[in-house]
Structures are given as C-alpha cells and as structure tokens.
C-alpha cells in the first residue's frame, strides 16, 4: 500500500519534475546547438556500449550460475 501511494504521488506530479530540466536546456541552448552533433554522438556511443556491457554481464552471470548452482 505504501509503495502504491508514493508511486501515485510521483505519477500525478511527474510534469513538475520535467520543468526544471526543460528550462535549463532552453536556457543553455546557445551552448548546446553548436555542440549538438557531439552530444548526439556521445549519447549514441554510450547507449550502445551500455547495451553490450549489460548483455555481457548477463551472459557472464548466467554462465556462473550454471557453473556454481547446477
């Protein structure tokens, strides 16, 4: 019950949590625009590397689980 109550509070007020970052992005648009290509590139590389590292970690965990618990 307590988790549901807190989750509903967060969901009901979610829009307020996005206002400060949106204002900060708009406020620093003069810095972001010249560097937009670099920012997009870094986001793509970090997303892809996170995907592969997570996949490798899961594969390793499953291998170790089979080795130790079966």
């Amino acid at each position: 019950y307590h988790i549901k109550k807190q989750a509903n509070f967060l969901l009901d007020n979610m829009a307020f949590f996005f206002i400060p970052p949106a204002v900060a992005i708009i406020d620093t648009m003069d810095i972001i625009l010249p560097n937009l290509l670099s920012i997009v590139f870094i986001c793509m590389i970090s997303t892809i590397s996170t995907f592969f590292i997570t996949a490798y970690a899961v594969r390793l965990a499953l291998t170790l689980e089979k080795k130790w618990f079966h």
Side-chain angles (χ1 to χ4, degrees), residues 1-14 17:
Y1 172 75
H2 296 291
I3 293 173
K4 186 176 182 179
K5 182 180 174 184
Q6 297 302 323
N8 285 335
F9 169 78
L10 291 172
L11 288 172
D12 291 341
N13 297 300
M14 189 177 292
F17 298 129

Side-chain angles (χ1 to χ4, degrees), residues 10-44:
L10 291 172
L11 288 172
D12 291 341
N13 297 300
M14 189 177 292
F16 295 113
F17 298 129
F18 287 102
I19 291 173
V23 170
I25 289 171
I26 292 170
D27 191 38
T28 57
M29 196 61 76
D30 57 329
I31 299 170
I32 293 174
L33 284 179
N35 299 308
L36 189 60
L37 187 62
S38 298
I39 293 169
V40 169
F41 179 73
I42 290 169
C43 288
M44 288 175 53

Side-chain angles (χ1 to χ4, degrees), residues 61-70:
L62 290 174
T63 303
L64 292 175
E65 180 186 22
K66 284 181 184 178
K67 182 178 179 181
W68 290 344
F69 296 112
H70 289 283

